[in-house]
Amino acid sequence: MNLAPVFFRFRILLLFPLFLLACLEKADARIDTVVIDAGHGGHDRGGIPTNYVTEKNVALDVALRLRNDLREAGFRVVMTRTNDVFIPLSMRCAIANAQRRAVFVSIHFNSAANRDARGVETYYYGSGGGLAASIHRRLTRNLGAPDRRIRSRRYFVLRNTRIPAVLVECGFLTNRYDASLALKSGYRARLAQEIANAIIANRRSY
């Protein structure tokens, strides 16, 4: 009796549950956690001090609004800070690296010696390119913010975070117009909503 067909069918039966499990894991391979990092905090005001607005405060405000938007969409949200405290960069990375099926979004506002500089810049390193592109596209198209490009940089919180990570510079506080926008509650709400929409729309693709 030729037992080869029998063994072949038996082998298929053994492998099928593994194949099915792999398919189910792939089908569920989506982002369900977002780590939101409000830049600076505590003694670290952020950026170049101006008379208009302090970076640590508006970054935290946008981060808290983003948290609420993402929670409403069903995401689990982890914050690196929720008030005006200083969190070391290494601790921010450790918080992010403790999460699974997650992305890391660091919220900042820019500054420059050139007071005419304005617009949005988005940074990533490694696997964060897709997330950076999604967020940057929505901020520049839907908010009309000048496009100062997406860039790959080895910033500490990007290169030391193992999940897809981006850093969003939401405008220049050293520019009078950008600073005036940052001071508006409605504009900060729109910033948060567009970042949230980018994450929601692409939660399976990172």
Side-chain angles (χ1 to χ4, degrees), residues 24-158:
L24 290 174
E25 288 180 348
K26 185 174 182 181
D28 195 40
R30 63 177 188 171
I31 297 303
D32 58 23
T33 299
V34 180
V35 181
I36 303 175
D37 173 46
H40 309 286
H43 65 80
D44 180 6
R45 297 182 64 213
I48 299 172
T50 72
N51 295 324
Y52 308 124
V53 58
T54 302
E55 181 184 358
K56 67 175 183 176
N57 295 336
V58 287
L60 179 59
D61 184 82
V62 172
L64 292 173
R65 293 171 187 272
L66 177 58
R67 176 192 65 182
N68 295 340
D69 291 338
L70 290 172
R71 282 180 174 173
E72 286 182 7
F75 285 87
R76 173 176 172 266
V77 178
V78 177
M79 303 289 291
T80 60
R81 70 180 181 98
T82 57
N83 51 31
D84 187 17
V85 296
F86 176 75
I87 306 295
L89 297 182
S90 58
M91 187 176 295
R92 298 172 194 246
C93 296
I95 292 169
N97 290 334
Q99 313 307 318
R100 297 183 59 196
R101 297 197 305 188
V103 295
F104 174 88
V105 179
S106 189
I107 304 296
H108 289 256
F109 283 80
N110 225 331
S111 62
N114 177 8
R115 300 303 171 102
D116 292 329
R118 59 178 298 253
V120 171
E121 297 176 350
T122 309
Y123 297 92
Y124 72 96
Y125 182 73
S127 61
L131 176 57
S134 296
I135 292 173
H136 191 83
R137 182 167 55 248
R138 284 186 175 267
L139 292 181
T140 54
R141 290 182 181 177
N142 297 348
L143 294 185
D147 184 349
R148 291 182 58 91
R149 299 171 52 201
I150 305 165
R151 298 179 173 91
S152 175
R153 291 290 187 273
R154 289 176 53 83
Y155 294 148
F156 189 95
V157 294
L158 299 181

